[in-house]
Amino acid sequence: MTREELEHIIRASGDITDQYEFVIVGSQSILGAVPRPEDVFTVSMEADIYPLQAPELADRIDGAIGEGSQFHETYGYYAQGVGPETACLPADWMQRVHRIQNRNTQDRGLATVWTFSTSSSPRLWSHERRIGSSALHCCSTAM
């Protein structure tokens, strides 16, 4: 998934839920900090997302633009509506977010994307490259 595709998911999620702010977790969260990462980081066609202020609306996202939806069939990527319990984030995660807000998100789809910088944890970054985003979820509480 590219940054532009993630922005499309943010825009569509805003239209579906009438929410303004979203959290993206998992492997696609790298696109918040690194708009053009190495190809190995863009293999997934799924973005894990939920509305920050109304996580219960994630099911609407999943139903409308989730796996197997018309959206997925049309564009080749999709959103998976998740919840705050999906990722084990550190207590200060809101201070580490990267925000995406631009014309591609219709300026209303402000996405709160959690990532960490390579300098803050090169060991985990390397681990992420070898085994996937689950390393971030399992190890993030140690950060």
Side-chain angles (χ1 to χ4, degrees):
M1 179 175 298
T2 65
R3 169 75 171 257
E4 290 76 17
E5 291 167 340
L6 179 62
E7 291 169 350
H8 184 199
I9 285 176
I10 293 164
R11 182 175 68 245
S13 295
D15 290 343
I16 293 161
T17 63
D18 200 30
Q19 294 293 301
Y20 185 78
E21 202 166 17
F22 296 89
V23 177
I24 291 104
V25 296
S27 60
Q28 299 312 315
S29 65
I30 191 175
L31 297 171
V34 185
R36 308 263 183 271
E38 295 177 35
D39 289 344
V40 68
F41 294 106
T42 62
V43 174
S44 177
M45 288 292 105
E46 159 197 353
D48 298 323
I49 185 170
Y50 67 89
L52 179 63
Q53 301 301 322
E56 68 278 3
L57 297 178
D59 285 342
R60 289 187 187 176
I61 295 169
D62 209 44
I65 61 173
E67 187 172 17
S69 67
Q70 183 65 41
F71 183 96
H72 182 197
E73 291 176 17
T74 301
Y75 298 106
Y77 52 90
Y78 62 95
Q80 182 167 1
V82 298
E85 69 285 348
T86 302
C88 304
L89 302 176
D92 67 342
W93 73 274
M94 281 297 286
Q95 284 72 50
R96 301 184 189 192
V97 298
H98 294 272
R99 296 184 181 268
I100 299 171
Q101 184 180 26
N102 57 41
R103 270 189 245 149
N104 289 337
T105 64
Q106 293 180 338
D107 291 324
R108 86 187 259 280
L110 181 62
T112 306
V113 183
W114 183 84
T115 61
F116 59 89
S117 70
T118 57
S119 61
S120 69
S121 185
R123 182 178 59 80
L124 284 180
W125 193 265
S126 173
H127 197 57
E128 157 82 359
R129 294 181 96 175
R130 287 195 310 276
I131 67 166
S133 65
S134 61
L136 292 177
H137 300 309
C138 296
C139 300
S140 65
T141 56
M143 298 172 56

